[in-house]
Amino acid sequence: MSTTICQVMGFIVSSLGVAGCIVSTAMDMWSTQDLYDNPVTAVFQYQGLWRSCVRQSSGFTECRPYFTILGLPAMFQAVRALMIVGIVLGILGLLVCIFALKCIRIGNMEDSAKANMTLTSGIMFIVAGLCAITGVSVFANMLVTNFWMSTANMYQGMQNVQNRYTFGSALFVGWVAGGLALVGGIMMCLACRGLIPEESRYKAVSYNASGRNISYRTGPYKVGSGYEPETKARKGAGYEEAARSEDGRRSYPSKYDYV
């Protein structure tokens, strides 16, 4: 029962993590304009992975997508790639995990096969969570670097050169989603141990009979086996092979020969 609960909880937590990664990737507020020096403004800007938006004080919002990827920084494109890879791995892990649930029986699937599928889905969830956390952290590092560069320009008297951007809500959603996917993957890997069938304590022992080769002779001779010398060794001296008679028949010793 504990294995089933761990597996189901891992599936639920991982599902929440993958859903959070999708939501975080689709959100536009990865970076928001810093309003520390100017809290009252007519225009508020924020950016996402796919478009940048401007919201006016009247409530009108206009978003413009990035029409090309050539003008975007390399780290920005790397963040996109990491998030997409995390989402794809998470979805594949969910599909595998559904068929690996112990409470679902599909045909004559054995527990060993379910254990392998559970371990595979857990590894996929772990990699997906690491990809999401890494992508969000790289983007956050870009924001921190640009923030301090913009702050240095402001101290030099260039206040209107560029706006400062800070962390958006999508970053926190991505961190939480990546952590959930990572925890769910670990729970699936732990559930895999309970699905592995225990080995039998009694091991089958195979006995190989070392029989001797039996040679078959043609003609008037009888079949000779390898046990004849041992039989002769156990017999007494009086049972030695008797000489053949003149007519070709074997003569056997009588009881008077041993007196």
Side-chain angles (χ1 to χ4, degrees):
M1 182 63 68
S2 59
T3 302
T4 305
I5 294 176
C6 183
Q7 191 181 32
V8 173
M9 289 299 297
F11 173 73
I12 295 175
V13 173
S14 301
S15 301
L16 294 176
V18 174
C21 292
I22 296 174
V23 173
S24 174
T25 305
M27 290 179 66
D28 294 327
M29 288 191 176
W30 279 69
S31 60
T32 58
Q33 184 179 356
D34 184 28
L35 302 178
Y36 177 77
D37 295 333
N38 189 12
V40 180
T41 180
V43 178
F44 177 71
Q45 299 180 5
Y46 54 93
Q47 298 177 355
L49 294 180
W50 313 103
R51 59 182 183 175
S52 60
C53 301
V54 176
R55 185 176 63 192
Q56 300 179 1
S57 58
S58 60
F60 178 76
T61 302
E62 181 181 1
C63 295
R64 182 179 181 181
Y66 303 125
F67 295 103
T68 179
I69 62 175
L70 299 178
L72 299 176
M75 298 301 295
F76 191 86
Q77 300 180 19
V79 172
R80 280 183 172 182
L82 288 172
M83 298 304 295
I84 292 175
V85 169
I87 292 174
V88 172
L89 289 177
I91 293 176
L92 292 178
L94 290 177
L95 294 177
V96 175
C97 184
I98 291 175
F99 295 102
L101 291 176
K102 191 176 182 180
C103 56
I104 298 177
R105 287 291 179 182
I106 301 176
N108 296 326
M109 184 178 295
E110 299 179 355
D111 291 340
S112 59
K114 285 183 174 291
N116 294 332
M117 296 175 67
T118 303
L119 180 61
T120 302
S121 62
I123 294 175
M124 287 184 177
F125 290 142
I126 292 175
V127 176
L130 292 177
C131 287
I133 294 175
T134 304
V136 175
S137 301
V138 170
F139 194 91
N141 183 49
M142 293 171 54
L143 289 179
V144 172
T145 303
N146 294 331
F147 182 87
W148 291 114
M149 290 179 62
S150 301
T151 303
N153 293 333
M154 291 176 60
Y155 286 136
Q156 294 177 2
M158 298 179 292
Q159 298 184 3
N160 297 326
V161 173
Q162 56 183 354
N163 296 324
R164 293 190 306 180
Y165 290 90
T166 184
F167 294 169
S169 57
L171 296 181
F172 302 101
V173 175
W175 273 317
V176 174
L180 289 177
L182 184 62
V183 173
I186 295 175
M187 294 178 67
M188 295 297 292
C189 293
L190 294 178
C192 171
R193 300 181 58 184
L195 293 174
I196 298 177
E198 297 182 358
E199 297 181 359
S200 177
R201 297 181 180 179
Y202 301 96
K203 298 182 180 179
V205 180
S206 60
Y207 296 93
N208 297 325
S210 57
R212 300 181 180 179
N213 297 329
I214 301 176
S215 58
Y216 297 92
R217 300 177 182 178
T218 59
Y221 298 99
K222 296 182 180 180
V223 177
S225 62
Y227 296 96
E228 291 181 356
E230 298 178 359
T231 306
K232 294 179 180 179
R234 289 194 298 267
K235 293 181 180 179
Y239 286 91
E240 294 180 355
E241 185 178 1
R244 295 181 179 273
S245 60
E246 296 179 357
D247 56 353
R249 297 181 180 179
R250 182 182 297 273
S251 60
Y252 296 92
S254 61
K255 61 181 181 179
Y256 299 103
D257 296 337
Y258 303 104
V259 180

